[in-house]
Amino acid sequence: MLKSSSIFTSLVTSGLMTLPLQAFSDEAQQSNLKATDHAPIGVMGDHLHKKGEFMFSYRFMQMSMSGNLQGSDSISDDDIVTSVTAPNSSMNYVRVVPQTMTQNMHMLGFMYAPTDHVTLMAMVNYIDNDMTLTTYSGASGTTVLDNFNTASSGLGDTKLTMLYSLIDTPEHKFHVNLGWVLPTGSIEETDQVLTPMNMLTNLRLPYSMQLGGGSHRAEFGLTYNGNNDNLSWGAQGLYNLALSENDEDYETGKTLKLSTWANYGFSDAVSATARLTYNKTQEIVGEDENLTAPVTTANPANYGGTLLMAAIGINTVIANKHRVAFEYEIPVIQDVNGVQMEMDNMFTIGYQLAF
């Protein structure tokens, strides 16, 4: 927790946050838009627009992972290579262990409201994955051979969403989220890997290093927003599922995501946010027969689980058009299926322009 606090403090005291709060306040007072009008920047599809309005958004999201969990408990590398099986490999046990993973995601969003009750949204992603792994020598034992890196980058899956308003009053807003995910991200990424026989060879990367899910997916959900003076709050529930297997004969797991947040305004232009997010994801169904490496991430059973994240952030509004926001998340509870990497943190910075 000390590490998380220090990182957040450095964010607040650097960059855009060093601008005088009074400058934000003076510009925000020229309009009715307040920093508390939006959910934290990590929440997608949280609000509608009035008829004829557009909005452009850019988000940069970074997720960091390190070490491994079995269920909710840490598991050492030596325990993994001597006790965890590799069912899709020619070897009995896992011989390659993930150490760290970083995912950087650039997200471009576009919103347009054809009516007061309907807002259309499109989200395009560019993903950059990087993973460090350790290879153990031979078919058994705990002798480390060496470390190596794999990487993948490119266009991710694209999401199209319709937001339909059910309740729209000054104090309470409630809408439906209906989404369709297009499989524009590659599921055939490869890279060089170090085998337990001390050979470098080009192989299909595991599921977590691919850029998309490969299937059309549907998303259904509900979002609520409430506000009172300098305080706003909200909740969102989204259910996401694949509509079919992809071309590699598997589908990523169904996901339930529940978020609740509060947003306190220091002024019309600056607010602080807090959020809790619960994710429940099922394991991958089916398998890619091209994934044969003796690594935990090649096993479909080592995906999915339960994750509870806590987040803090900052919202700012400038001149009734510009919103700059930050959010930093850390895990509170992690309980994974099988053996998986442990989540460290997630950071999101975003800019939105409404016109």
Short mmCIF file of all heavy atoms in Angstrom, two decimals, residues 102-106 126-130 151-154 211:
data_model
loop_
_atom_site.label_atom_id
_atom_site.label_comp_id
_atom_site.label_asym_id
_atom_site.label_seq_id
_atom_site.Cartn_x
_atom_site.Cartn_y
_atom_site.Cartn_z
N THR A 102 3.74 -6.59 -18.94
CA THR A 102 3.21 -5.24 -19.03
C THR A 102 2.36 -5.14 -20.29
O THR A 102 2.79 -5.58 -21.36
CB THR A 102 4.34 -4.20 -19.10
OG1 THR A 102 5.13 -4.29 -17.92
CG2 THR A 102 3.77 -2.79 -19.19
N GLN A 103 1.18 -4.58 -20.15
CA GLN A 103 0.33 -4.32 -21.31
C GLN A 103 0.02 -2.83 -21.36
O GLN A 103 -0.52 -2.27 -20.42
CB GLN A 103 -0.99 -5.09 -21.23
CG GLN A 103 -1.88 -4.86 -22.44
CD GLN A 103 -3.22 -5.59 -22.35
OE1 GLN A 103 -4.14 -5.15 -21.68
NE2 GLN A 103 -3.30 -6.73 -23.02
N ASN A 104 0.41 -2.21 -22.47
CA ASN A 104 0.08 -0.81 -22.73
C ASN A 104 -1.02 -0.77 -23.77
O ASN A 104 -0.91 -1.41 -24.82
CB ASN A 104 1.29 -0.04 -23.23
CG ASN A 104 2.38 0.07 -22.18
OD1 ASN A 104 2.09 0.21 -21.00
ND2 ASN A 104 3.63 0.00 -22.60
N MET A 105 -2.09 -0.02 -23.49
CA MET A 105 -3.21 0.05 -24.42
C MET A 105 -3.54 1.52 -24.71
O MET A 105 -3.72 2.32 -23.80
CB MET A 105 -4.44 -0.63 -23.84
CG MET A 105 -5.63 -0.68 -24.79
SD MET A 105 -7.09 -1.51 -24.08
CE MET A 105 -6.46 -3.17 -23.87
N HIS A 106 -3.58 1.85 -26.00
CA HIS A 106 -4.01 3.16 -26.46
C HIS A 106 -5.43 3.02 -26.99
O HIS A 106 -5.69 2.20 -27.89
CB HIS A 106 -3.09 3.68 -27.57
CG HIS A 106 -1.65 3.74 -27.15
ND1 HIS A 106 -1.09 4.88 -26.60
CD2 HIS A 106 -0.66 2.81 -27.19
CE1 HIS A 106 0.17 4.65 -26.33
NE2 HIS A 106 0.47 3.40 -26.68
N TYR A 126 -5.21 0.04 -29.59
CA TYR A 126 -3.89 -0.43 -30.03
C TYR A 126 -3.17 -0.97 -28.81
O TYR A 126 -3.05 -0.28 -27.79
CB TYR A 126 -3.08 0.70 -30.67
CG TYR A 126 -1.76 0.22 -31.24
CD1 TYR A 126 -1.67 -0.23 -32.56
CD2 TYR A 126 -0.61 0.19 -30.46
CE1 TYR A 126 -0.46 -0.69 -33.08
CE2 TYR A 126 0.59 -0.27 -30.97
CZ TYR A 126 0.65 -0.71 -32.28
OH TYR A 126 1.84 -1.17 -32.80
N ILE A 127 -2.68 -2.21 -28.90
CA ILE A 127 -2.15 -2.92 -27.73
C ILE A 127 -0.68 -3.24 -27.93
O ILE A 127 -0.24 -3.62 -29.02
CB ILE A 127 -2.94 -4.23 -27.50
CG1 ILE A 127 -4.42 -3.91 -27.22
CG2 ILE A 127 -2.34 -5.03 -26.34
CD1 ILE A 127 -5.30 -5.14 -27.15
N ASP A 128 0.08 -3.10 -26.85
CA ASP A 128 1.50 -3.45 -26.83
C ASP A 128 1.76 -4.33 -25.61
O ASP A 128 1.68 -3.85 -24.47
CB ASP A 128 2.34 -2.16 -26.79
CG ASP A 128 3.82 -2.41 -26.94
OD1 ASP A 128 4.20 -3.58 -27.11
OD2 ASP A 128 4.59 -1.44 -26.89
N ASN A 129 2.05 -5.61 -25.85
CA ASN A 129 2.29 -6.57 -24.78
C ASN A 129 3.77 -6.91 -24.68
O ASN A 129 4.45 -7.07 -25.71
CB ASN A 129 1.53 -7.88 -25.03
CG ASN A 129 0.03 -7.72 -24.99
OD1 ASN A 129 -0.51 -7.03 -24.14
ND2 ASN A 129 -0.66 -8.36 -25.92
N ASP A 130 4.26 -7.05 -23.46
CA ASP A 130 5.64 -7.46 -23.24
C ASP A 130 5.69 -8.40 -22.03
O ASP A 130 5.13 -8.08 -20.98
CB ASP A 130 6.54 -6.25 -23.01
CG ASP A 130 8.00 -6.64 -22.95
OD1 ASP A 130 8.64 -6.73 -24.00
OD2 ASP A 130 8.51 -6.85 -21.82
N ALA A 151 7.07 -10.45 -27.12
CA ALA A 151 6.30 -9.21 -27.28
C ALA A 151 5.32 -9.36 -28.43
O ALA A 151 5.51 -10.18 -29.35
CB ALA A 151 7.23 -8.03 -27.53
N SER A 152 4.26 -8.60 -28.38
CA SER A 152 3.28 -8.52 -29.47
C SER A 152 2.66 -7.13 -29.44
O SER A 152 2.51 -6.53 -28.38
CB SER A 152 2.18 -9.58 -29.32
OG SER A 152 1.48 -9.43 -28.10
N SER A 153 2.30 -6.62 -30.60
CA SER A 153 1.68 -5.31 -30.66
C SER A 153 0.86 -5.18 -31.93
O SER A 153 1.14 -5.83 -32.95
CB SER A 153 2.74 -4.20 -30.62
OG SER A 153 3.62 -4.30 -31.71
N GLY A 154 -0.18 -4.35 -31.87
CA GLY A 154 -1.03 -4.13 -33.02
C GLY A 154 -2.43 -3.75 -32.61
O GLY A 154 -2.73 -3.54 -31.43
N LEU A 211 -3.68 -10.34 -29.37
CA LEU A 211 -4.19 -8.97 -29.40
C LEU A 211 -5.72 -8.89 -29.35
O LEU A 211 -6.28 -7.80 -29.19
CB LEU A 211 -3.68 -8.25 -30.65
CG LEU A 211 -2.15 -8.23 -30.79
CD1 LEU A 211 -1.75 -7.61 -32.12
CD2 LEU A 211 -1.51 -7.47 -29.63
#
